[in-house]
Amino acid sequence: MSERLHVKEMVMQMHERNLVLMNILRDIAENETHRPAATGATDEESARRVADKEARRAEILGEIFHMLRQQDLARGKTASGPVKLQVLR
């Protein structure tokens, strides 16, 4: 019985990780999907839009690295220190 509970817990954890990964993929797709700029948008509005997109990309990468660190810790691996994020343009 104890083994069944352990397997059930593992399946639930895998399901939760899958949901997190699906949300991250959705966030990436939403952020990277090209949306045409509004007609008559000023240069300032266009620059703000690009900056917002880059900021969201950095947030998503942070979420990914956080999840990977958690998984490494759960597997007993030591964290390899802080990861420096570099947003590619």
Side-chain angles (χ1 to χ4, degrees), residues 5-17:
L5 290 175
H6 180 68
V7 170
K8 184 176 180 178
E9 184 178 323
M10 286 175 48
V11 169
M12 288 172 50
Q13 288 173 355
M14 287 175 59
H15 179 69
E16 186 176 333
R17 276 193 300 258

Side-chain angles (χ1 to χ4, degrees), residues 68-88:
L68 292 173
R69 275 192 215 106
Q70 283 183 322
Q71 191 167 349
D72 283 349
L73 291 174
R75 290 182 174 175
K77 296 180 181 178
T78 57
S80 57
V83 176
K84 185 173 183 174
L85 297 179
Q86 180 179 6
V87 177
L88 302 176

Side-chain angles (χ1 to χ4, degrees), residues 14-29:
M14 287 175 59
H15 179 69
E16 186 176 333
R17 276 193 300 258
N18 259 354
L19 292 175
V20 170
L21 289 172
M22 289 302 295
N23 283 335
I24 288 172
L25 289 172
R26 239 182 234 112
D27 288 345
I28 291 170

Side-chain angles (χ1 to χ4, degrees), residues 41-87:
T42 65
D43 288 342
E44 183 181 311
E45 290 170 332
S46 296
R48 187 175 339 122
R49 188 169 168 247
V50 168
D52 289 348
K53 186 174 183 174
E54 288 176 358
R56 182 61 184 134
R57 184 181 297 141
E59 290 172 6
I60 293 168
L61 287 173
E63 292 171 15
I64 292 168
F65 287 126
H66 176 73
M67 193 184 100
L68 292 173
R69 275 192 215 106
Q70 283 183 322
Q71 191 167 349
D72 283 349
L73 291 174
R75 290 182 174 175
K77 296 180 181 178
T78 57
S80 57
V83 176
K84 185 173 183 174
L85 297 179
Q86 180 179 6
V87 177

